[in-house]
């Protein structure tokens, strides 16, 4: 739920119209898989950037296009996007700015303090929109997500389910940054 609320918050703040183009960088994790599904629910064209091993996963979540970041450098990507959603600050704004259309929006829920000055300066001079920092969780967004989950529009993606006595193993798995989707802790006594 937390990751869905995060993705929904930032995509809502972007306020882009149907059929606009969004590039989601690092599109194969928890926030990202929900960001793809939510963006498609809002009728956006989604380009997902992740590794080749996750291609089928992101295309299966309705990404319109796939880019393998291991085989294609960000500077070689062709296209113009209305929004870039850099979910874990893997690329700098400076490296990706050329991909943005004139009235761009740059979104990151994992920005580093050292990069804020550059983003804010560019925003002031270009009069464009930056969406950074942390998500505001609300009952309204929780209800929207719940409705989308129960209607089948959004599907949670589960990587591994751990028992409570495996919590250390679960944390190591998450911290490795090699999980594909969500890691679940089962609190049941079974």
């Amino acid at each position: 739920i937390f990751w869905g609320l995060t993705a929904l918050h930032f995509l809502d703040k972007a306020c882009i119209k149907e059929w606009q183009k969004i590039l989601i960088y690092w599109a194969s994790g928890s926030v990202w898989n929900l960001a793809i599904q939510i963006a498609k629910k809002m009728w956006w064209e989604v380009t997902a950037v992740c590794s080749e091993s996750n291609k089928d996963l992101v295309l299966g979540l309705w990404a319109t296009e796939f880019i393998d970041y291991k085989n294609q450098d960000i500077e070689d990507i062709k296209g113009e996007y209305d929004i870039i959603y850099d979910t874990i600050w893997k690329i700098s704004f400076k490296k990706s700015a050329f991909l943005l259309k004139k009235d761009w929006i740059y979104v990151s829920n994992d920005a580093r303090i050292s990069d804020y000055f550059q983003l804010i300066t560019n925003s002031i001079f270009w009069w464009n929109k930056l969406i950074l920092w942390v998500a505001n969780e609300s009952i309204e967004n929780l209800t929207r997500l719940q409705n989308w989950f129960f209607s089948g529009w959004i599907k949670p993606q589960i990587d591994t389910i751990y028992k409570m006595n495996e919590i250390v193993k679960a944390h190591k798995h998450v911290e490795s940054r090699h999980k594909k989707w969500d890691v679940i802790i089962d609190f049941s006594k079974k």
Side-chain angles (χ1 to χ4, degrees):
I1 297 295
F2 172 76
W3 300 124
L5 289 171
T6 299
L8 185 54
H9 168 84
F10 284 101
L11 293 174
D12 272 349
K13 291 285 183 189
C15 297
I16 65 174
K17 299 172 184 73
E18 291 180 359
W19 306 114
Q20 288 187 299
K21 293 178 71 175
I22 179 172
L23 182 135
I24 300 177
Y25 203 88
W26 208 260
S28 60
S30 299
V31 173
W32 319 285
N33 83 69
L34 288 166
I36 292 170
Q37 293 180 74
I38 292 167
K40 288 306 284 188
K41 173 89 175 129
M42 296 177 176
W43 299 100
W44 298 345
E45 290 183 38
V46 177
T47 298
V49 181
C50 57
S51 65
E52 178 72 30
S53 64
N54 293 313
K55 178 180 181 178
D56 291 338
L57 297 173
V58 297
L59 292 176
L61 293 173
W62 311 305
T64 312
E65 192 177 342
F66 161 79
I67 296 172
D68 181 359
Y69 75 91
K70 289 182 179 179
N71 293 322
Q72 186 172 8
D73 195 78
I74 190 75
E75 284 91 2
D76 298 328
I77 295 174
K78 303 290 184 236
E80 285 190 323
Y81 297 91
D82 299 288
I83 179 173
I84 290 179
Y85 187 0
D86 183 3
T87 57
I88 61 170
W89 207 265
K90 275 303 235 191
I91 54 172
S92 69
F93 173 74
K94 186 177 181 179
K95 276 186 143 186
S96 60
F98 76 95
L99 291 168
L100 290 161
K101 292 181 179 179
K102 183 179 177 236
D103 298 320
W104 58 263
I105 301 168
Y106 190 87
V107 178
S108 181
N109 51 269
D110 197 25
R112 294 181 298 249
I113 297 296
S114 61
D115 294 304
Y116 276 99
F117 179 75
Q118 178 187 8
L119 287 168
I120 292 168
T121 302
N122 287 332
S123 182
I124 290 169
F125 289 113
W126 294 344
W127 298 104
N128 294 313
K129 192 171 182 179
L130 295 171
I131 303 167
L132 308 168
W133 209 243
V134 294
N136 180 22
E137 298 163 358
S138 69
I139 295 295
E140 177 188 339
N141 281 348
L142 183 60
T143 302
R144 287 169 66 195
L145 276 179
Q146 177 185 354
N147 291 337
W148 291 343
F149 280 122
F150 288 133
S151 71
W153 253 102
I154 292 180
K155 296 178 174 101
Q157 307 297 317
I158 298 172
D159 180 296
T160 309
I161 299 173
Y162 292 97
K163 294 286 185 189
M164 185 60 186
N165 64 350
E166 299 176 299
I167 199 159
V168 172
K169 188 177 177 182
H171 272 276
K172 286 181 181 176
H173 183 72
V174 170
E175 290 170 1
S176 75
R177 291 193 172 242
H178 292 291
K179 68 180 184 67
K180 298 263 187 229
W181 304 109
D182 293 319
V183 171
I184 305 296
I185 306 297
D186 181 357
F187 289 95
S188 69
K189 295 183 181 187
K190 295 179 186 177

